[in-house]
Each structure stands twice: as structure tokens, then as C-alpha cells.
Amino acid sequence: MSDINGTMMLHKGNKKKRRRKQMFNDTAFCDYCRHRGFKLCAVAKAMGMEASTLYRKRKGNLEFTINEIQKFFHFSGETIENPEMVRIFFASSVA
């Protein structure tokens, strides 16, 4: 398809978004924060992001970076050796 000037125009069409397999377990994350008494806005700030960005990352629209995960470990006083942290950030399958 061309416009008036003869320039080619590309039609994007309706491409289906392919969702990646999510490794993050939001339920386990929220349960952990709730039991520790962490407010999600405080967690977001500690991870260097806005609360809305944390929400998008929790819901799988964006991925967590290694740096953000490390900041969470520092904030919570946990390490990667904790099975609960592995279950949250590196879940093999999320129901």
C-alpha cells in the first residue's frame, strides 16, 4: 500500500503477543511481604522503582532485573540460598 507521495506504508496487522513463561511467583511474593509486614510501595522504593512499575513486573508485563532482585534481598535481609526466595523469583511454573 502506498500513500499519496508514493511512499510505501507498512501495515502492522493484529499480531498476537506471545507471553513468555513467567518465572516470578506473585502469590508467594505478596504472601512473603504480608507476613514480613512490608508495604508494597516501600518494597518498590527499595528496589528503585515506582509502585506502578512493581505492579507491572509482578503481573508479568515487565521482567525483574538481577539488580532489582538483589535490592529486594538486601531490603528483606534474605539471600538467594533461601528456598522461599527461589520459589518467588525463580519459580519453575506458576499456577
Side-chain angles (χ1 to χ4, degrees):
M1 176 184 278
S2 300
D3 68 2
I4 296 173
N5 299 324
T7 308
M8 291 296 287
M9 295 173 49
L10 299 176
H11 185 275
K12 289 188 176 183
N14 291 335
K15 294 182 180 178
K16 291 183 180 179
K17 287 187 178 182
R18 182 181 287 171
R19 291 192 64 115
R20 295 183 198 172
K21 185 176 179 182
Q22 188 173 356
M23 293 179 60
F24 178 75
N25 187 330
D26 185 49
T27 302
F29 178 79
C30 289
D31 289 346
Y32 177 84
C33 289
R34 187 172 32 262
H35 287 110
R36 295 286 300 263
F38 297 155
K39 300 279 185 194
L40 292 179
C41 58
V43 172
K45 186 174 182 177
M47 293 174 82
M49 65 184 77
E50 297 291 326
S52 59
T53 304
L54 176 61
Y55 177 83
R56 287 191 299 275
K57 289 182 182 244
R58 288 179 38 228
K59 298 304 175 188
N61 297 327
L62 300 171
E63 293 183 4
F64 287 94
T65 65
I66 296 297
N67 189 39
E68 291 164 345
I69 294 170
Q70 288 174 332
K71 287 179 180 180
F72 181 77
F73 291 162
H74 180 73
F75 174 76
S76 65
E78 298 290 354
T79 64
I80 188 64
E81 287 83 22
N82 182 336
E84 194 166 16
M85 294 298 106
V86 173
R87 189 169 65 103
I88 290 170
F89 289 103
F90 306 104
S92 58
S93 64
V94 179

